[in-house]
Amino acid sequence: MAKEEIIPFDVSEHLDSPEMIAGYLTACAEQGEKYLFAAIGDVAKAIGMTKIADASGLERNGLYRAFCTEATNTHYKTVSRVLQAIGLRLEVRVPEQRANPPYPD
């Protein structure tokens, strides 16, 4: 039997439109902040970390630290500035299907 070759997958190579980026970030946000932060790092990598650093006014090395899978101290202000540099914004919305809302209907 021939040995199978494993080809590495880099999601940043596929984040090539605002819609794709927004969908990816939304899906990751639904999994939790660790996934969202790593996804923002993927998007920054896809666009160019230096470009995002310049547009956000943040240091390139700081962006790598803030948006890695081990990040534990990323602040809202950093997320907001990076999303703005990407051309996106956070949005809170009511899901179509709500299970047990904490307030009366």
Side-chain angles (χ1 to χ4, degrees), residues 5-103:
E5 181 183 353
I6 297 175
I7 301 170
F9 178 78
D10 186 349
V11 72
S12 66
E13 295 173 4
H14 303 278
L15 300 171
D16 55 4
S17 72
E19 294 78 16
M20 183 70 74
I21 290 169
Y24 177 61
L25 291 176
T26 299
C28 291
E30 291 172 356
Q31 300 303 311
E33 76 177 29
K34 174 182 175 179
Y35 297 96
L36 173 61
F37 294 164
I40 292 171
D42 292 337
V43 172
K45 180 181 173 187
I47 293 170
M49 199 63 82
T50 301
K51 278 184 173 178
I52 297 300
D54 291 344
S56 66
L58 300 168
E59 293 183 15
R60 188 172 173 268
N61 288 337
L63 293 176
Y64 280 109
R65 284 191 305 274
F67 298 110
C68 70
T69 54
E70 294 84 27
T72 58
N73 198 20
T74 304
H75 298 278
Y76 172 78
K77 185 175 183 178
T78 303
V79 172
S80 179
R81 288 171 69 175
V82 170
L83 289 178
Q84 184 176 9
I86 292 168
L88 300 174
R89 63 183 168 91
L90 285 177
E91 181 177 288
V92 177
R93 59 185 165 92
V94 177
E96 293 177 21
Q97 299 283 328
R98 290 183 295 153
N100 303 318
Y103 47 82

